[in-house]
Amino acid sequence: MEISIVIPLLNEAESLPELTRWIQRVLVARGLSYEVILIDDGSTDDSWAVIEALAGQDMALRGVRFNRNYGKSAALNVGFGLALGRVVCTMDADLQDSPEELPELYRMVVEDGYDLVSGWKQKRYDPLSKTLPTKLFNAATRAISGIQLHDFNCGLKSYSSRVVKSIEVYGEMHRYIPVIAKWAGFKKVGEKVVQHQERKYGVTKFGLERFVYGFLDLASITFVGRFRRRPMHFFGTLGTLSFLIGTMLTLWLVGEKWWLAIHNLKARSVTDQPLFFMALVAVIVGMQLFLAGFLGELIQLNGPKRNDYLIRETIR
C-alpha cells in the first residue's frame, strides 16, 4: 500500500461521492495503490449511508463511524491507527482540498525524505473574519514552536507512516501535529503551496471559538513537549525564584527595621508594610510550585511510559 488517505467528516453526505471519485481518478491515473479511510465523526445527516454505498462499490474505501461527535483530533488519531500505507495523507471532506495535490505530497515524503509535508493555502476563499485570526494564530505558532510553516491548520498534509504511528493526537491538538511530530524527533518538515477551493456543499463546522482554544492548546502542547519528562525543571525553577524573592524581601524588611532601631529612628512594624505581604505570598507560592514539581516527578517516575522512547534504527 503506497498511500493511505484519512478523511475526517461531519455531515458531508453531498460531497463524499464527488470527492471519492476524484481521489480514485487522480491516483489510478498515477498508478499508485491506495486506501481511503473515511471517519464519520457523529454525522446527523446521511453521511454513513453514503459511505456504506460507496464502500460497496470501491474496495479501496474503508469507513469508521463514531457513536457521537468526538472532534477532528479523535478522528485523525483513529485513522492513523488504521492506516496501512507507506505515506499517510489527510484532507478535509468538503472539497476545498484538491486530490490533485496528493501525488506530489506523496513524492515529497518518499523521494525528498520529508517526515511531514504541510499544505499552504496561499490564496484562500474565506471571509476576513476567518483569514485574519488564522494569520495571527499561525504567526504565534511559528514564534513559539520554531517551525516555519505558513498554515499549521491546513487539513491537506502528508506524513511518513513512521510519524503517524509514533504520535498521539488528542483533544484539539490536530492543529499542532507538526509541533507534536517535532517534539517526537521528526524535524524534517516541508511545505507545499496547495490549491484552496470554495466550499461547494454545506457549511463550515468551525466557529471563531476555535482560535481561542487554539492558543490554549498551543501553550499546553509546548509545555508538555518540553517538560513532560522533567516537570521539576519548570515548576522547580519558578518555585525557587519565587521563594528566593520572597525571602530576600523579608530579610530586607527585617534588616531595615533593625537598622532604624539601632539609630533610634522611628520604624513601622514589619507586618504593617504591604511589601511584607507580597514577600509572604512569594514564599508560599514558591513552596507550592516546588511541591508541584516534586509531585510531577513522582508521577512521571511511576508512569507506565516513563521509558517509552522512539528508536530510529538498530543493528543486529
Side-chain angles (χ1 to χ4, degrees):
M1 186 73 64
E2 292 172 295
I3 306 181
S4 294
I5 305 161
V6 178
I7 306 177
L9 62 103
L10 176 64
N11 297 334
E12 298 288 356
E14 294 176 298
S15 63
L16 290 176
E18 184 175 342
L19 176 63
T20 54
R21 287 195 300 269
W22 194 357
I23 292 172
Q24 182 186 47
R25 184 170 64 251
V26 170
L27 297 184
V28 169
R30 303 301 196 284
L32 295 171
S33 59
Y34 72 97
E35 63 176 353
V36 179
I37 305 173
L38 299 167
I39 312 292
D40 184 353
D41 187 22
S43 295
T44 55
D45 65 354
D46 294 329
S47 292
W48 185 247
V50 173
I51 292 172
E52 288 182 314
L54 292 171
Q57 302 167 11
D58 187 351
M59 294 300 294
L61 265 62
R62 303 166 65 187
V64 175
R65 186 184 190 185
F66 285 172
N67 197 49
R68 66 172 179 86
N69 177 250
Y70 288 101
K72 189 173 183 178
S73 293
L76 288 175
N77 197 60
V78 169
F80 288 165
L82 295 173
L84 302 174
R86 180 183 181 187
V87 173
V88 179
C89 296
T90 61
M91 63 188 306
D92 294 334
D94 54 13
L95 293 173
Q96 290 190 281
D97 294 337
S98 172
E100 301 289 344
E101 311 285 356
L102 293 173
E104 179 61 15
L105 289 171
Y106 168 81
R107 188 201 66 77
M108 291 178 73
V109 172
V110 173
E111 297 183 13
D112 295 343
Y114 286 104
D115 296 315
L116 182 159
V117 180
S118 180
W120 173 21
K121 297 172 182 176
Q122 195 171 29
K123 182 178 180 181
R124 300 180 66 99
Y125 294 95
D126 289 322
L128 187 62
S129 60
K130 188 174 180 181
T131 56
L132 183 59
T134 297
K135 289 181 181 295
L136 295 174
F137 161 79
N138 285 318
T141 307
R142 282 195 298 272
I144 293 174
S145 69
I147 302 174
Q148 300 305 309
L149 293 179
H150 290 86
D151 191 357
F152 283 84
N153 201 31
C154 178
L156 193 56
K157 290 182 173 69
S158 62
Y159 309 84
S160 164
S161 62
R162 190 167 180 274
V163 174
V164 301
K165 300 301 183 182
S166 302
I167 63 174
E168 181 181 7
V169 189
Y170 59 93
E172 293 295 322
M173 296 300 182
H174 59 273
R175 305 178 182 91
Y176 301 111
I177 294 180
V179 182
I180 297 172
K182 179 185 176 183
W183 291 127
F186 300 102
K187 297 181 179 179
K188 191 167 183 181
V189 178
E191 187 171 53
K192 180 186 183 302
V193 175
V194 297
Q195 182 182 0
H196 184 228
Q197 304 181 113
E198 294 187 63
R199 175 177 277 275
K200 191 172 182 179
Y201 305 105
V203 295
T204 182
K205 310 303 186 300
F206 300 100
L208 291 176
E209 71 278 358
R210 69 180 180 139
F211 297 107
V212 177
Y213 300 152
F215 286 112
L216 295 176
D217 290 336
L218 177 59
S220 175
I221 195 62
T222 301
F223 172 79
V224 171
R226 291 183 177 177
F227 301 106
R228 182 182 63 177
R229 298 190 185 277
R230 41 193 173 91
M232 180 58 87
H233 288 195
F234 179 78
F235 291 107
T237 300
L238 292 180
T240 301
L241 288 174
S242 181
F243 184 85
L244 289 176
I245 290 171
T247 301
M248 287 189 293
L249 289 175
T250 302
L251 292 175
W252 167 267
L253 292 171
V254 173
E256 181 186 42
K257 184 172 182 180
W258 176 79
W259 187 87
L260 292 172
I262 64 174
H263 288 83
N264 296 317
L265 298 174
K266 186 178 180 180
R268 287 189 301 169
S269 172
V270 171
T271 56
D272 289 339
Q273 301 187 52
L275 196 61
F276 168 75
F277 296 99
M278 294 175 62
L280 185 62
V281 169
V283 169
I284 294 173
V285 169
M287 294 176 64
Q288 290 179 328
L289 286 171
F290 192 88
L291 181 60
F294 180 69
L295 292 175
E297 289 287 343
L298 289 179
I299 293 170
Q300 171 63 23
L301 182 64
N302 290 281
K305 295 185 178 181
R306 61 185 178 274
N307 285 318
D308 184 16
Y309 308 111
L310 295 179
I311 299 173
R312 189 175 186 88
E313 293 179 88
T314 61
I315 297 177
R316 296 190 182 91

